[in-house]
Amino acid sequence: MAKTAIQQGPWSLRELYAGLEAPEIQKEIEALEAKVLAFEAHRSELTPELAPQAFSSMLKEYDGLLRLLSRLDGFADLSFSQDTQDAKIQAFRARVQQLVAETANRTLFFQLWWKGLEEAATARLMRTSGDFRYWLEALRLQKPYTLSEPEEKVVNLKDVNGSAALVTLYDSITNRYAFQVEVDGEKRKLNREELQVYFRDPRPEIRATAYQELYRVYAQDAPILSQLYQYRMRDWRSEHVRLRGFASPIAVRNLANNIPDDVIDTLLEVCRTNAPVFQRYFDLKARVVGAAPLRRYDIYAPVAGTEKTYPYAEAVELVLDSFQRFEPRVAALARKVFDENHIDSEIRNGKRSGAFCATVSPDYTPWLLQTYKGKPQDVATLAHELGHAVHSLLAADHSLLTQHAALPLAETASTFGEMILVDRLLELDPSPDVQRTLLFREMDDNYATILRQAYFAMFERQAADIIDSGGTEEDLSRAYLANLREQFGPAVEVSDDFRYEWIVVPHFQHAPFYVYAYTFGQLLVLSLYQQYRAEGEAFKPRYLQILSAGGSDSPERILQRAGIDMRSAAFWQGGFDVVKASLGKLEAIEAAR
Ligand SMILES: [Zn+2]
C-alpha cells in the first residue's frame, strides 16, 4: 500500500478549478448555458409517444448538465467552507447559487412533464432507463403533490427570498452571538463551538455556567428566533399541506425519504418505549460522576479524567488500519481522500465549523472538512467522515441523480466506520479503564443520536400543531420542557433554562423533520453491526451491497435485499437490544470497581 505523508493542512480544490480567477470558470458557465439551451430545446419532443432511446439520451444530457453545475456549485461551497470571511468568495458563491436556482427553473419542465405523464407511458420509458430508474420512480411519488408549472416556478422563485431567506436570517443572527464565561478566574469570550466544549468539562459548575450562558444569550432574542421558526413552519404547512395536499407536515419529509409514514410512527414509538434504557444509563452516570440526581447540565460529563490525545498522523493510520482489517477495499477507498489531498483538517480562523464530507459528483473523490484537535472524539469524527467518503465512492458507478443514499441510509457507512474504529481501539487496549471510557462514549453518542433526536422529532410534530392552532413562544417552550421531562423521567433534573433549547437547534430551522434520520440511521447500523459480529465474513457482501446501492433504489428495497424489514417494531427493538447489551457491560465494569 502506497504511503502518503500525512500532515494536517488545507485541502486542494485544484481538481475543480485552479482558483476563483481561473478562466475555466467563465468558460464552464458559458458551457452550462449552452447545455441548458440544448436541453430546453427538447421541450417540444416531450410527448407520451417519446422513443425510449431519445428519452435515455435526454437523461444523460440532464445528468451531464448537472455534473457541470455541481462542479461550479461544489467549488463555490468548498471555497466558502475553507474561508467564510472572504468577500470575493461570498460574491462568487452568491452568483453560483443564483445560477443553480435559474438552472433548476429552466429545466424544471422536464421533471414536471415526467411527473404529469400517464402511467402507461412512464412504465414503458422506465423499463429502459437503466440507472436513472429509481430517480424517475421517486419523482413520480411527488406526483399527487405537484402543482402546475407556473405555480412551481413561483414557489421556487419566492423561496429564494422567502423560506430560504428566513433560514439565512436565523443563521446571520445566531452566528454573531458571543458568549462570555469565567474559567479559572479568567473571563473568556467564545463562539458557540468554543462554548460547547465546556458542556463536557469535568467541573460541574463550569458545565452549568456554559449552558446558562448559552441560554442567556439565545433568550435575549427568543421572541425573534421564535417568530422565524413560526414563519418557517407556517410556510411549510401552507405550501406542503394546504397547497400540495400532504397529510401532515412530517409526511413531506417522509416522502422525500421514501419512508412510509407508519414506519416513522413505529420508529418513534419504539424510542419512546425505550426511553427508560437511557434513564438507566443516566442513573449509572449520576453515580459515577457523583451527582445525585444527574442534572441536564451533566449528561455529557466526562467520566474518565484526562483524555488521551492522538497526533493527526497516528489518528489517520488508526482509522485506515481499522478499515483495512474490516475490508481492504474499504481502506483503499478511504485512502484516496489523503492521496488526493481532499481533506482540510487543520485548525484555522474563518474556516467553517463542524465536520462534513462533500460529494461534488460521481467524478470526484469527496472532500472532507474537520478541525482536528486530537481528542478521541476527533478520531471518531475522522472515521465517520471517511465512512461517508467510502459510501460515496462505492456508489460512484451510479449517475449523479442516484449516487447519493437517501437520508435514512446516508449515515450507514459513517457510523459503521466509527464502530469499527472503536472496536479496534478496544482490541488494542483491553484494560477495563479503556473499555469503560469507550463504552461511556458509545452510550453518550447513542443517546445523542438515537433518543435525543427521536424526542426532537416528536417535538417538531407537536410544535407544528401548536403553531397551526395559533400557539405562542410560551406554548412552544412549555411543550418543549414537557418533552424533555418525559424523555429523562426521574433520572435527570431538567432546569427551566432548557425551555429554549428548541430555538438553539439549527436543524429545526434548516430542515424541518430532518432529525429522525439520525435515529433511523443509528438504530439501523447498531443492528447491522450486531449481524457483523455474529456472522463475520458472511455479512460483508450484504453490507457492501447496501452501500454500493447508493440512492439507486428505495431504502425499503435496499434493506430488504439485505434481509431487513424496516416495518417491524422488532427490527428497531433489535437496535435497542445492542444499546442494552453495552449498558449491561458498563454496569458490570462499574460494579467491579
Ligand atoms: Zn454523518
Side-chain angles (χ1 to χ4, degrees), residues 7-18 74-84 89 312 337-346 348 350-360 365-371 385:
Q7 280 175 3
Q8 242 176 313
W11 53 33
S12 163
L13 300 178
R14 291 194 68 88
E15 239 180 296
L16 297 171
Y17 300 103
F75 182 68
D77 254 359
L78 293 170
S79 301
F80 176 72
S81 301
Q82 187 177 328
D83 185 357
T84 60
I89 293 174
Y312 182 64
V337 171
F338 300 98
D339 290 346
E340 296 175 24
N341 196 14
H342 277 206
I343 179 165
D344 184 333
S345 56
E346 67 180 355
R348 196 176 62 240
K351 170 174 166 174
R352 213 171 101 173
S353 63
F356 65 74
C357 167
T359 295
V360 172
T365 297
W367 274 266
L368 265 61
L369 180 137
Q370 84 168 124
T371 296
E385 301 306 337

Side-chain angles (χ1 to χ4, degrees), residues 284-300:
L284 174 71
K285 191 151 189 177
R287 290 198 295 278
V288 172
V289 301
L294 202 69
R295 305 167 304 167
R296 170 58 186 80
Y297 304 131
D298 304 320
I299 63 170
Y300 300 119

Side-chain angles (χ1 to χ4, degrees), residues 384-385 388 411 414:
H384 181 103
E385 301 306 337
H388 278 306
E411 296 297 331
S414 53

Side-chain angles (χ1 to χ4, degrees), residues 145-286:
Y145 311 102
T146 302
L147 308 172
S148 68
E149 186 176 342
E151 285 173 312
E152 288 291 347
K153 278 191 171 169
V154 172
V155 168
N156 269 356
L157 215 65
K158 299 293 280 183
D159 272 354
V160 176
N161 299 299
S163 61
L166 290 176
V167 175
T168 306
L169 269 179
Y170 175 88
D171 287 346
S172 307
I173 293 171
T174 55
N175 283 341
R176 289 167 45 190
Y177 288 161
F179 305 90
Q180 288 177 15
V181 286
E182 200 180 308
V183 182
D184 304 325
E186 189 198 330
K187 274 207 159 70
R188 292 184 195 170
K189 203 174 157 187
L190 308 167
N191 64 26
R192 178 157 168 195
E193 205 190 348
E194 293 163 333
L195 180 74
Q196 288 184 168
V197 172
Y198 292 108
F199 296 174
R200 295 167 190 267
D201 196 274
R203 292 158 295 185
E205 70 283 0
I206 300 286
R207 292 195 296 268
T209 306
Y211 274 112
Q212 285 155 5
E213 176 63 3
L214 175 77
Y215 292 120
R216 182 190 69 78
V217 172
Y218 272 82
Q220 289 174 343
D221 280 338
I224 287 183
L225 298 177
S226 160
Q227 260 179 315
L228 287 176
Y229 180 60
Q230 293 182 51
Y231 284 134
R232 177 90 166 102
M233 292 313 292
R234 282 199 203 104
D235 177 72
W236 184 271
R237 187 185 289 268
S238 41
E239 178 186 332
H240 297 293
V241 179
R242 306 244 153 80
L243 286 178
R244 298 186 186 276
F246 279 95
S248 66
I250 197 172
V252 183
R253 183 71 61 196
N254 296 347
L255 190 80
N257 292 334
N258 198 358
I259 306 268
D261 291 347
D262 60 324
V263 170
I264 298 307
D265 291 342
T266 304
L267 170 71
L268 295 181
E269 211 35 56
V270 171
C271 287
R272 189 186 286 248
T273 315
N274 282 279
V277 176
F278 284 101
Q279 290 168 11
R280 207 176 100 199
Y281 169 62
F282 290 127
D283 281 337
L284 174 71
K285 191 151 189 177

Side-chain angles (χ1 to χ4, degrees), residues 107-119:
T107 55
L108 193 61
F109 69 90
F110 183 64
Q111 291 190 24
L112 291 177
W113 169 73
W114 177 255
K115 285 187 204 170
L117 198 59
E118 60 230 41
E119 204 64 40

